[in-house]
Amino acid sequence: RPCISSAAERHHPALGGEMNCTAGLYPSLVIILILAIYGVYLCNNILPQLNGLEDPDADVFYTPSEEELIGVLVAFHVLMGMLLLCFTLATITSPGYIPTSSTEDAKKWVHGDIAKRITAKDEGRIKDILQDIRTDLNDPSIIAMLRSMPVVERKKRYGYHRHCSACNLYKPDRTHHCRVCDRCVLRMDHHCPWIANCVGFGNYKHFLLLLLYAILTTGFLMGSTFRRLQYAFRPVTNQTDFLLEDLPVFVTFLLCLFLFVALTMFFGFHMNLVLNAMTTIELREKKNNEDPYIKHRFYVAHIKFDRGKWGNFLHVFGPWYTWLLPIHAGGDGTYSEVGASKDASITIEAREKKVGSEEEVLVARNN
């Protein structure tokens, strides 16, 4: 029997996209790696210390106090538990797809009514802004207009609304079609084979916390096994003991060191994206694009999403008491309600007048 026998089976329960027989290979390798590291840590590091507590005359590399050993075990299992939880949630949580279940959502993204919520003047002006790379994007009236529009991003330099021919849906801002999942993903960052899932609006925080807890766990492992690593370099008196006890510790320590460095760099890269309100796709394909018009369209759209570094951080991580917990910060991921509910029908002249009056008030207060 083939791995996939029908169209229904080809859809991942979380992804809703195309899968193949090897889709679960990388996540399986991750689980095997975690279990292997867990086993070496317990058998080759913790159990000898337990034997030292029970038998003071035992030849062990280090004999801790009972309180210290309990503290190490509790901290290790808390970190490992959070790592596994975030890995599971990042894998099974939907990255977020274009909503079509309600009548209102169907009007917006299936029938394209979202475009009708933008006034003709605003539509004409956004096309002019996208086509003119000399536009002053620091103009308060332009900023106010962009932040009031339900959809800012347009297709190419001519200002057409983005439409996915594969999904037959109009695209919200920051949405991209994933060829692996075969669906449009809200605020798509990238497709990660290690979790067999897209990283998008719905699971981005889970993915970031997965990286964070992987860094903390590997760092904790290296710190708590350093004495055992030193003990592994004693003169070899028994080859079997060396192969079964010392060599696994050495290999595990090197593996944790590699993961710690690589994941720290990767986490730092993503935190920079978070603080600057960008995704990997936006950075690589738009901001760093050599085509000036593509780069200009990115800067135009970025005005709508950029809340400042602190605001961008809170947008992803939520309130302070949820920063280290895999709890979604909220929102629907379409960015269609960012100031659009009240200001979408305001004309350009009225908006410019509003901005001008606000500037006059600020000047009066300063004087």
Side-chain angles (χ1 to χ4, degrees):
R1 183 180 183 271
C3 294
I4 299 171
S5 62
S6 68
E9 288 178 290
R10 287 196 297 267
H11 287 78
H12 188 284
L15 302 182
E18 296 296 319
M19 290 188 66
N20 54 47
C21 300
T22 62
L25 175 62
Y26 291 104
S28 300
L29 291 176
V30 172
I31 294 297
I32 292 172
L33 178 64
I34 292 174
L35 293 177
I37 292 175
Y38 181 83
V40 171
Y41 182 75
L42 287 184
C43 296
N44 296 42
N45 183 61
I46 297 299
L47 289 181
Q49 296 181 59
L50 283 173
N51 293 333
L53 283 177
E54 296 175 356
D55 183 6
D57 297 327
D59 181 20
V60 296
F61 63 94
Y62 175 66
T63 303
S65 65
E66 185 176 348
E67 293 78 11
E68 179 184 354
L69 188 58
I70 292 175
V72 168
L73 281 172
V74 170
F76 170 69
H77 282 93
V78 167
L79 291 175
M80 184 64 74
M82 291 302 297
L83 170 63
L84 291 172
L85 175 61
C86 292
F87 176 78
T88 302
L89 291 177
T91 302
I92 67 174
T93 301
S94 168
Y97 306 118
I98 301 175
T100 57
S101 56
S102 69
T103 303
E104 182 67 17
D105 288 332
K107 288 181 180 179
K108 286 181 181 179
W109 310 116
V110 178
H111 306 299
D113 280 9
I114 194 71
K116 300 177 183 178
R117 305 186 183 198
I118 303 174
T119 64
K121 288 186 177 181
D122 281 356
E123 191 64 50
R125 195 178 186 194
I126 188 64
K127 289 182 179 180
D128 292 338
I129 292 172
L130 292 172
Q131 292 173 11
D132 187 3
I133 61 176
R134 298 168 298 177
T135 302
D136 181 13
L137 297 181
N138 293 317
D139 186 335
S141 65
I142 292 178
I143 295 175
M145 180 195 73
L146 293 175
R147 290 180 173 172
S148 71
M149 298 184 70
V151 178
V152 172
E153 290 185 319
R154 296 292 188 272
K155 186 176 182 179
K156 298 184 179 180
R157 56 185 289 189
Y158 302 106
Y160 300 127
H161 283 266
R162 299 190 308 151
H163 183 269
C164 179
S165 58
C167 299
N168 197 25
L169 295 171
Y170 286 87
K171 291 183 179 181
D173 288 330
R174 313 187 82 181
T175 299
H176 298 275
H177 187 87
C178 176
R179 290 176 294 179
V180 179
C181 300
D182 196 26
R183 288 188 69 173
C184 284
V185 177
L186 299 174
R187 203 188 68 190
M188 179 178 173
D189 187 89
H190 67 286
H191 184 89
C192 179
W194 298 105
I195 62 173
N197 200 355
C198 265
V199 177
F201 178 79
N203 64 346
Y204 189 45
K205 183 182 178 183
H206 304 334
F207 176 77
L208 293 176
L209 290 181
L210 168 62
L211 296 179
L212 176 61
Y213 283 112
I215 293 169
L216 295 176
T217 303
T218 53
F220 183 87
L221 283 167
M222 288 189 295
S224 59
T225 58
F226 188 72
R227 287 192 182 94
R228 182 63 183 85
L229 178 68
Q230 290 177 314
Y231 186 70
F233 285 94
R234 70 192 185 279
V236 178
T237 58
N238 186 304
Q239 189 174 6
T240 302
D241 289 344
F242 172 77
L243 293 176
L244 296 180
E245 298 178 8
D246 297 333
L247 186 60
V249 172
F250 178 70
V251 172
T252 300
F253 189 92
L254 287 182
L255 182 60
C256 287
L257 178 61
F258 169 76
L259 291 173
F260 180 83
V261 174
L263 293 177
T264 298
M265 295 174 62
F266 193 46
F267 182 72
F269 167 76
H270 272 282
M271 286 306 300
N272 181 62
L273 293 181
V274 169
L275 296 177
N276 290 282
M278 284 189 292
T279 64
T280 301
I281 292 176
E282 291 167 349
L283 176 66
R284 295 181 59 184
E285 299 183 6
K286 298 182 179 181
K287 186 176 185 294
N288 292 340
N289 199 291
E290 295 181 356
D291 188 329
Y293 287 95
I294 294 178
K295 186 177 293 188
H296 174 66
R297 291 203 306 273
F298 163 75
Y299 286 124
V300 171
H302 191 254
I303 291 174
K304 176 180 177 180
F305 315 123
D306 192 3
R307 298 167 169 82
K309 294 187 183 301
W310 181 244
N312 295 335
F313 176 84
L314 294 178
H315 176 63
V316 174
F317 283 90
W320 66 268
Y321 49 85
T322 66
W323 287 353
L324 298 179
L325 300 175
I327 300 175
H328 194 266
D332 66 354
T334 65
Y335 297 93
S336 59
E337 303 301 328
V338 182
S341 57
K342 295 181 180 180
D343 298 334
S345 60
I346 299 179
T347 63
I348 297 173
E349 292 81 7
R351 195 180 293 114
E352 290 175 343
K353 183 177 180 181
K354 177 182 177 183
V355 172
S357 62
E358 290 176 349
E359 291 178 340
E360 292 175 359
V361 171
L362 290 175
V363 171
R365 287 180 178 176
N366 292 332
N367 295 334

